[in-house]
Amino acid sequence: MKILHLDSNHPLLITQLNDLGFQNDEEYTASKTEIEHIIANYDGIVIRSRFDIDASFLDKATNLKFIARVGAGLESIDVAYAKTKGVKLFSAPEGNRNAVGEHTLGMILSLFNKFPVADQEIRQGQWNREKNRGIELDGKTVGIIGYGNMGRAFARKLRGFDVEVICYDIKDDVEDSNATQVELEELFTKTDVLSLHTPWTPQTDKMITSEFISKFKKPFWLINTARGKSVVTKDLVAALKSGKILGAGLDVLEYEKLSFETLFAESKEMPTALNELLQLKNVILSPHIAGWTVESKEKLSQTIVNKIKASFC
């Protein structure tokens, strides 16, 4: 079987697939149109998020048996159409779920203890102890929306804290020893910290709006390490300014490109809401790296190797 690699990944991925007898070709710079001219020669594709794999692309991939995405989700692939073609789909949420759980917890603790602000003030010669008095996570209720690989990994990280962990998911019976599944009404009533761990779907697109935020019974903290387009930035900014949302940790932003590689590359005027967000002191930002650790790079690739091997060897 011939596999075309469209993004660079940990070297073990190609090394191990070579050892299993697969032919591996690498093409990291050709355009999608150029790839479409050669894709019929391949049985498999390994990709991260370089471009959409849509119906038109799949129609040209006449010999394709699988698509492996070295990442957690499959939103860049026309999943339904691929399945009609008999194409197997592999993703690797097992590979970076621990990294996401740790990053999420780190964002909460940084917000609660005002690490970014305190750090910058000291660098500017300011020693403001009372202003930077923190709060403790113990005693809080943490609400998780989306209790799959990422949500579960985050809940496990909370076991060392005296917190109540509740979760909401569209699937039934997902709770475990680390979180109690509840309906949205209970989530709205009890949550002190809300963490999103959902894929990007029609149901989660623009999920966090002013209307959604208004349903929470008390001010809360928001963490998003899932997908940027699930949160409407202008509504988030309004809630942060009003105090309805006490602070936010955002690893993802509404304005990201599909590849997740750039945000500021295009020379367009910055959206007003994003500019306002960047000025707020109670917001922590990172460039879509929650699952982007040294360890997860290896684990993601190993997960993909294991899934290809299980299906084709």
Side-chain angles (χ1 to χ4, degrees), residues 267-280:
S267 57
K268 293 182 179 179
E269 184 177 350
M270 185 181 297
T272 300
L274 177 57
N275 188 53
E276 291 184 77
L277 183 75
L278 297 179
Q279 308 308 313
L280 296 174

Side-chain angles (χ1 to χ4, degrees), residues 2-296:
K2 295 177 64 178
I3 301 175
L4 181 61
H5 296 257
L6 296 173
D7 290 292
S8 61
N9 291 291
H10 194 283
L12 74 80
L13 201 158
I14 290 179
T15 298
Q16 291 190 20
L17 289 175
N18 280 334
D19 292 344
L20 290 169
F22 295 96
Q23 176 182 326
N24 294 276
D25 294 342
E26 301 168 72
E27 182 46 83
Y28 303 146
T29 59
S31 68
K32 181 179 179 181
T33 300
E34 290 170 326
I35 297 296
E36 287 177 340
H37 289 310
I38 62 171
I39 195 58
N41 299 322
Y42 291 93
D43 303 287
I45 296 170
V46 176
I47 192 169
R48 288 203 316 267
S49 301
R50 188 165 148 203
F51 52 70
D52 270 343
I53 295 182
D54 52 20
S56 175
F57 184 95
L58 289 165
D59 283 339
K60 297 176 177 64
T62 51
N63 292 304
L64 199 62
K65 297 178 178 62
F66 75 85
I67 302 168
R69 178 164 183 267
V70 188
L74 294 169
E75 62 263 38
S76 60
I77 301 168
D78 189 334
V79 172
Y81 194 64
K83 288 181 177 179
T84 68
K85 295 278 190 177
V87 177
K88 291 181 179 290
L89 301 174
F90 304 126
S91 61
E94 306 92 336
N96 63 354
R97 60 190 175 191
N98 183 72
V100 170
E102 290 190 7
H103 194 98
T104 304
L105 180 56
M107 281 191 145
I108 293 171
L109 296 177
S110 294
L111 283 167
F112 277 25
N113 292 284
K114 303 182 181 179
F115 288 158
V117 173
D119 175 78
Q120 288 302 310
E121 287 181 352
I122 291 174
R123 293 173 190 274
Q124 295 165 10
Q126 303 173 43
W127 190 261
N128 298 321
R129 296 185 67 227
E130 187 59 37
K131 177 184 173 184
N132 290 306
R133 188 185 290 272
I135 62 172
E136 297 178 15
L137 183 54
D138 274 18
K140 306 295 189 295
T141 297
V142 179
I144 299 173
I145 296 183
Y147 204 63
N149 277 282
M150 306 305 166
R152 289 173 182 273
F154 172 50
R156 283 196 296 273
K157 300 301 175 188
L158 293 169
R159 287 185 297 192
F161 295 87
D162 183 14
V163 294
E164 180 182 8
V165 184
I166 57 178
C167 65
Y168 173 79
D169 197 281
I170 59 173
K171 296 180 180 179
D172 295 326
D173 302 320
V174 299
E175 73 177 39
D176 58 16
S177 61
N178 298 316
T180 301
Q181 187 169 9
V182 299
E183 296 299 325
L184 276 176
E185 188 56 41
E186 185 170 350
L187 188 94
F188 292 143
T189 299
K190 300 175 72 173
T191 295
D192 296 299
V193 180
L194 178 67
S195 188
L196 305 182
H197 296 281
T198 47
W200 184 42
T201 68
Q203 291 75 27
T204 64
D205 186 54
K206 297 179 176 59
M207 176 174 65
I208 308 300
T209 61
S210 292
E211 180 183 2
F212 188 90
I213 293 167
S214 70
K215 295 179 181 179
F216 286 80
K217 304 305 181 185
K218 52 185 174 179
F220 65 97
W221 304 78
L222 175 67
I223 310 294
N224 186 11
T225 56
R227 289 293 183 258
K229 294 187 188 304
S230 293
V231 178
V232 178
T233 307
K234 66 178 180 62
D235 293 352
L236 170 61
V237 169
L240 285 162
K241 288 182 174 181
S242 72
K244 181 66 177 182
I245 293 181
L246 299 168
L250 307 173
D251 181 54
V252 290
L253 291 169
E254 180 181 2
Y255 309 100
E256 286 180 56
K257 306 302 182 289
L258 177 67
S259 69
F260 308 140
E261 298 297 327
T262 60
L263 180 65
F264 302 107
E266 295 182 8
S267 57
K268 293 182 179 179
E269 184 177 350
M270 185 181 297
T272 300
L274 177 57
N275 188 53
E276 291 184 77
L277 183 75
L278 297 179
Q279 308 308 313
L280 296 174
K281 300 294 186 182
N282 56 342
V283 175
I284 294 177
L285 302 164
S286 56
H288 206 133
I289 55 170
W292 199 254
T293 62
V294 171
E295 293 84 357
S296 72

